[in-house]
Amino acid sequence: MIADLQSAQGGYLARYERHWQHDVKEVWSWLTENDKLTQWFPELEVGELREGGVIKFNMPDGTVIPMDILEFSQDQVLAFTWDKDRVRFELHAESDGGCHLVFSEYLHQITEHTPRDLAGWHVCLDVIEALLAGRTIPSRKDMWNGWYVKYKQLTDAVLTNQA
């Protein structure tokens, strides 16, 4: 399901929700343990896992971009800067032993790059879901191409409604 994108104070909020049949600790491990994290987002690396700590974005040219951890609560919340924006993972245990994940990206503005990022995060969540289930995604690029079209339409519609 496509993310919800709404105007928010000072910008926009993209919100994704997933319900997975895996417990919170298992899902949390895919967000915070480097050996698992790199399977769904190879450029990311946890430096110091704490509020005020850092997550590193390792660029292909060897440049490392530090991203500050803004909010951290073990097995519940991980939020960090994302360029000029910020992202937040929030986990809730469900009564059936599963996990409700809410992923949000707070955007200060919508740019031409926004639908690319939104499609990318969508694919990341789908890849985590597949990995949790012991599956792989044959072509992330093909998946991303399909979601990019939808997120381009979504961002265009939000901007049109703002005008």
Side-chain angles (χ1 to χ4, degrees):
M1 183 165 68
I2 196 164
D4 181 52
L5 181 62
Q6 301 287 328
S7 292
Q9 186 174 354
Y12 302 88
L13 174 66
R15 180 181 164 102
Y16 305 73
E17 292 193 47
R18 299 288 191 276
H19 296 273
W20 293 333
Q21 294 305 309
H22 301 274
D23 70 33
V24 165
K25 287 193 179 300
E26 176 69 10
V27 174
W28 182 258
S29 72
W30 284 94
L31 303 177
T32 60
E33 295 176 12
N34 284 328
D35 61 325
K36 292 181 177 182
L37 177 62
T38 58
Q39 291 181 54
W40 62 270
F41 206 134
E43 296 82 6
L44 291 186
E45 175 187 354
V46 172
E48 300 170 61
L49 192 56
R50 61 176 176 78
E51 194 166 313
V54 67
I55 293 183
K56 301 172 188 174
F57 191 100
N58 298 305
M59 300 289 288
D61 67 3
T63 304
V64 176
I65 300 170
M67 299 179 296
D68 299 327
I69 297 177
L70 304 169
E71 196 177 348
F72 176 85
S73 180
Q74 182 69 40
D75 298 329
Q76 295 177 349
V77 176
L78 176 63
F80 52 92
T81 57
W82 187 256
D83 193 27
K84 296 179 178 88
D85 302 319
R86 66 184 195 267
V87 296
R88 185 176 196 269
F89 294 89
E90 183 178 334
L91 305 180
H92 301 277
E94 296 188 319
S95 59
D96 64 358
C99 177
H100 176 210
L101 176 138
V102 177
F103 173 79
S104 304
E105 183 173 7
Y106 301 89
L107 305 154
H108 72 287
Q109 67 181 27
I110 293 177
T111 67
E112 286 186 25
H113 194 75
T114 300
R116 299 175 60 84
D117 267 358
L118 295 177
W121 284 118
H122 191 112
V123 170
C124 284
L125 295 176
D126 287 350
V127 170
I128 294 170
E129 182 175 14
L131 291 166
L132 282 162
R135 295 181 286 110
T136 58
I137 303 288
S139 174
R140 294 180 190 190
K141 182 152 182 60
D142 287 347
M143 181 185 274
W144 180 88
N145 285 334
W147 285 112
Y148 172 75
V149 170
K150 293 176 181 171
Y151 281 104
K152 178 73 173 120
Q153 292 168 345
L154 178 64
T155 55
D156 288 349
V158 168
L159 289 175
T160 299
N161 290 336
Q162 297 291 313

